């Protein structure tokens, strides 16, 4: 069975190592590769994957919206978030687009017993990742969602597309929120500072940094030092990947093997 992730750039992706750890653990004869695909080659590459018998692919930045017109159908998860991160190649040659980012974001929070109902959420960022987080928080019953973004107009655009009275846009990060989510790319570079100032964090805060890296980001390091409960991006990466695997194969993955992949080979 063949799988892949496409993005541009994609070399940094942890998905091949993570999925390979699962294949080995459950004894599945499968491979998972990463392909750097330029936007102009997207349609042709999708046809190539279908022709070469791929079962499924993951889609990452910057293709999550661009792939949508090239797919035969969209699952409600993809329509709801307005982006696709998982494609399944069907036996009749057609394609279905799914989005497992919302499931991936919520799974670690749910597993920890966190209740979104009654929570005030601060969302830093206004790109594709932020959109999936916003929909997840609103759907699961947060009381308020404050969007803060470097470029105010993008925060306003995300806010109006959500059209929900619980959503506001702010220039500054409020200090008394239950859940702080970093959905910007701040933290991807090793020497990036914390995405949040210390004043926004208390020991009661939950800090969720979506940056999918094995190391501790400055955001998580700061939050831990203040005594906040922390979630890193690897938990979301694993959960969205596990859900993609279920969609592609109907099989249950070894989620523990997928979580532990970062302890070897990196
Ligand atoms: P993705 O789909 O992964 O969310 P994106 O659409 O490029 O990627 O969004 C990246 C987000 O990180 C944006 O909110 C961006 O802010 P702008 O809208 O102002 O570009 C944010 N971001 C990137 N670099 C940043 C930085 N150095 N400081 C603050 N925000 C940053």
């Amino acid at each position: 069975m063949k799988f892949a992730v496409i993005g541009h750039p994609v070399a940094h992706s942890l998905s091949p190592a993570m999925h390979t750890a699962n294949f080995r653990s459950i004894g599945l004869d499968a491979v998972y590769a990463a392909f750097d695909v330029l936007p102009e080659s997207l349609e042709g590459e999708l046809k190539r994957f279908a022709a070469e018998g791929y079962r499924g692919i993951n889609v990452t930045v910057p293709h999550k919206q661009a792939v949508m017109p090239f797919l035969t159908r969209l699952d409600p998860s993809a329509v709801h978030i307005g982006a696709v991160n998982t494609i399944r190649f069907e036996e009749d040659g057609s394609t279905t687009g799914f989005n497992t980012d919302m499931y991936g974001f919520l799974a670690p929070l749910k597993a920890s017993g966190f209740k979104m109902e009654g929570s005030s959420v601060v969302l830093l960022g206004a790109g594709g990742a932020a959109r999936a987080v916003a929909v997840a928080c609103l759907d699961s019953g947060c009381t308020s969602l404050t969007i803060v973004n470097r470029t105010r107009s993008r925060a306003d655009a995300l806010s109006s597309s959500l059209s929900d009275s619980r959503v506001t846009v702010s220039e500054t990060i409020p200090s008394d929120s239950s859940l702080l989510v970093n959905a910007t790319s701040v933290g991807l570079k090793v020497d990036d500072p914390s995405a949040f100032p210390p004043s926004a964090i208390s020991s009661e805060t939950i800090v969720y940094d979506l940056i999918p890296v094995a190391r501790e980001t400055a955001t998580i390091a700061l939050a831990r030092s203040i005594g906040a409960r922390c979630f890193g991006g690897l938990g979301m990466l694993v959960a969205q990947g596990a859900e993609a695997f279920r969609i592609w194969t109907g099989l249950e993955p070894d989620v523990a093997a997928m979580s532990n992949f970062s302890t070897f080979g990196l």
Side-chain angles (χ1 to χ4, degrees):
M1 245 183 258
K2 291 197 282 188
F3 302 94
V5 57
I6 60 167
H8 179 68
V10 81
H12 65 278
S13 174
L14 299 175
S15 289
M18 178 178 80
H19 281 281
T20 302
N22 172 50
F23 301 156
R24 283 190 194 147
S25 171
I26 66 170
L28 188 71
D29 184 12
V31 290
Y32 190 112
F35 292 99
D36 197 311
V37 172
L38 293 170
E40 56 268 33
S41 324
L42 197 52
E43 187 174 13
E45 285 296 293
L46 288 176
K47 288 194 178 127
R48 180 180 72 81
F49 286 120
E52 292 183 3
Y54 277 75
R55 175 71 73 97
I57 60 170
N58 285 128
V59 181
T60 188
V61 179
H63 303 313
K64 287 186 182 190
Q65 288 177 309
V67 292
M68 296 174 82
F70 304 131
L71 302 175
T72 314
R73 70 188 72 76
L74 297 172
D75 179 73
S77 60
V79 176
H80 194 39
I81 297 180
V84 164
N85 80 325
T86 300
I87 298 173
R88 187 172 66 199
F89 296 94
E90 314 291 355
E91 285 182 6
D92 63 2
S94 67
T95 49
T96 312
F98 299 82
N99 196 308
T100 66
D101 284 337
M102 182 165 144
Y103 172 88
F105 171 74
L106 290 174
L109 287 173
K110 280 187 184 152
S112 79
F114 175 75
K115 295 270 174 291
M116 191 65 80
E117 295 86 357
S119 298
S120 50
V121 181
V122 169
L123 173 58
L124 196 62
R131 191 180 162 77
V133 170
V135 173
C137 293
L138 293 168
D139 274 13
S140 38
C142 69
T143 308
S144 65
L145 179 78
T146 308
I147 304 171
V148 183
N149 193 49
R150 179 178 61 180
T151 309
R152 165 84 192 220
S153 57
R154 289 189 81 196
D156 288 334
L158 175 59
S159 169
S160 25
S161 78
L162 292 165
S163 65
D164 188 302
S165 60
R166 291 170 291 171
V167 179
T168 52
V169 174
S170 172
E171 297 282 341
T172 54
I173 299 172
S175 58
D176 52 355
S177 307
S178 346
L179 175 64
L180 297 177
V181 183
N182 174 33
T184 71
S185 36
V186 176
L188 262 185
K189 294 195 219 93
V190 179
D191 54 358
D192 276 346
S194 169
F196 298 108
S199 58
I201 306 170
S202 80
S203 58
E204 306 295 309
T205 321
I206 293 173
V207 175
Y208 198 151
D209 188 358
L210 266 50
I211 300 292
V213 291
R215 65 184 157 77
E216 186 176 70
T217 60
T219 306
I220 296 288
L222 174 67
R224 265 197 225 295
S225 74
I226 295 171
R229 196 143 131 222
C230 298
F231 293 86
L234 282 189
M236 174 170 174
L237 179 79
V238 169
Q240 65 75 32
E243 191 64 3
F245 181 75
R246 291 183 194 105
I247 287 169
W248 293 325
T249 65
L251 301 171
E252 184 54 28
D254 182 345
V255 179
M258 294 177 80
S259 302
N260 293 333
F261 77 96
S262 58
T263 58
F264 39 85
L266 285 176

